[in-house]
Amino acid sequence: MKTFKTLIAILFSGLFMTSTFAQEISISEVAHDVSNETKTVLKTEVEKILSSYVEDYSNDRHAKEKRIVGVEVPQVDGKWTIKITGEKIGEKKWEVSLIEGLPTIPTYVYRIELKTLRAINNGEINALTAQAKAFSSDYAPMDVHEIKDYKPTEDDDSALNAFSFHFWTKGFPEVIPFRPDATRRAHGSGVTIFYYEKGLRTGWYNILPGERVREDAREQAMPFPMMGVVIKGSAKGIVDGAPITVSEGNTVFIPANVHHKWWNESNEPVELILIMFGKGA
């Protein structure tokens, strides 16, 4: 059974961030914050941010689904439970609450770096991108783990991906950024995750000149089909052993379990929207 970490890792990685966001969560800045502000003040800030997401989600149509998850912010020693009962309060709102302390039942827990939480709250990066990694052992500034011997199914993991998008994206309709400074490094280029749910994964690649995508053979074949929609530039690649060039205005279809890799030999960035779908996606 794939764990949530494995599912979120299959497409996207990111030990290193690109320009602006890298500065947002640098270790030196985190240390500076903790040494110059009391944890009490920081914890109050975090609670206000989390409360704003709880309030926003109480108006979200997806809040009709019951869920309990935990949130940890290590820099402030903060631990909370987000409880969604699936019950309505009045005509429009759903019952969603923030409770201090981790859940007492087996479930998922988000572990979020303080700078990352601020960046998500400021619209500088979206939560699914902040969680992205190539392999489950990789670092991510917003990670998910299971507590109390929780053993989720693949359906549970897929549902959490969708929940992560809706809970951590405020407003309606939901809008997330995709631009070079809102990406994380993934398989050799900058990537933003758009949306995940069972049978569908979407994202955006920004491949800079000289970058090579999916050079690692372990990442070159997926167990489900995908389509790459080139919206800017021209990329060269190898699909099932055959050379190919795809340019702006073209879409390339790659069947399940077919090896492929890409690179940018031009002097301009290549932008590509990736759509992964079908059983196992």
Side-chain angles (χ1 to χ4, degrees):
M1 179 188 302
K2 296 184 181 71
T3 65
F4 172 77
K5 292 181 181 179
T6 302
L7 286 171
I8 200 75
I10 284 177
L11 176 58
F12 301 106
S13 68
L15 176 58
F16 303 104
M17 316 301 153
T18 55
S19 59
T20 301
F21 190 61
Q23 297 170 4
E24 280 295 321
I25 66 165
S26 68
I27 294 175
S28 61
E29 283 194 68
V30 171
H32 174 78
D33 276 350
V34 174
S35 63
N36 287 280
E37 300 179 71
T38 67
K39 285 186 178 179
T40 300
V41 172
L42 290 174
K43 189 173 181 180
T44 298
E45 176 194 352
V46 170
E47 286 181 339
K48 287 182 179 178
I49 292 174
L50 294 178
S51 294
S52 71
Y53 280 97
V54 165
E55 173 62 23
D56 178 80
Y57 197 65
S58 70
N59 295 294
D60 194 303
R61 66 192 68 190
H62 295 89
K64 64 183 179 182
E65 299 172 4
K66 293 182 180 180
R67 182 173 293 278
I68 294 177
V69 296
V71 177
E72 294 180 314
V73 181
Q75 286 78 21
V76 302
D77 294 331
K79 299 177 181 181
W80 294 268
T81 294
I82 297 167
K83 183 177 181 180
I84 303 152
T85 66
E87 301 292 333
K88 272 202 167 182
I89 302 175
E91 294 184 2
K92 296 183 178 180
K93 283 196 172 186
W94 298 91
E95 187 176 29
V96 185
S97 56
L98 182 68
I99 305 164
E100 189 160 5
L102 288 179
T104 57
I105 64 169
T107 188
Y108 298 100
V109 175
Y110 296 97
R111 183 178 289 119
I112 314 173
E113 299 289 344
L114 175 59
K115 287 291 185 179
T116 303
L117 180 62
R118 287 171 172 166
I120 293 170
N121 189 51
N122 292 334
E124 297 165 16
I125 192 170
N126 70 66
L128 287 178
T129 302
Q131 295 173 54
K133 56 175 72 175
F135 304 102
S136 61
S137 59
D138 288 348
Y139 164 81
M142 181 177 186
D143 208 354
V144 176
H145 64 95
E146 298 89 29
I147 60 170
K148 298 187 181 297
D149 300 318
Y150 183 45
K151 299 186 184 303
T153 65
E154 289 189 16
D155 285 349
D156 292 331
D157 290 336
S158 294
L160 185 70
N161 283 328
F163 170 77
S164 292
F165 176 88
H166 294 297
F167 181 83
W168 296 105
T169 308
K170 294 179 183 177
F172 181 82
E174 293 148 318
V175 178
I176 60 170
F178 76 102
R179 56 181 185 269
D181 64 354
T183 64
R184 298 184 63 227
R185 295 291 297 174
H187 304 294
S189 74
V191 170
T192 290
I193 298 178
F194 287 162
Y195 185 73
Y196 272 17
E197 66 176 30
K198 186 177 181 180
L200 176 67
R201 309 181 189 195
T202 55
W204 174 70
Y205 274 84
N206 185 51
I207 310 170
L208 299 179
E211 289 186 332
R212 304 181 70 87
V213 176
R214 294 186 181 274
E215 280 290 290
D216 191 321
R218 295 172 295 174
E219 305 169 327
Q220 290 178 2
M222 307 304 293
F224 36 75
M226 64 182 72
M227 296 186 73
V229 182
V230 183
I231 58 176
K232 181 179 179 181
S234 179
K236 294 185 180 296
I238 296 177
V239 178
D240 202 21
I244 183 175
T245 299
V246 288
S247 301
E248 179 177 337
N250 289 315
T251 298
V252 56
F253 173 78
I254 302 173
N257 301 309
V258 170
H259 284 259
H260 59 281
K261 60 181 179 179
W262 306 93
W263 59 91
N264 182 1
E265 292 184 355
S266 74
N267 295 320
E268 300 292 334
V270 175
E271 297 184 22
L272 179 145
I273 293 175
L274 188 63
I275 305 167
M276 310 172 85
F277 54 94
K279 185 177 180 180

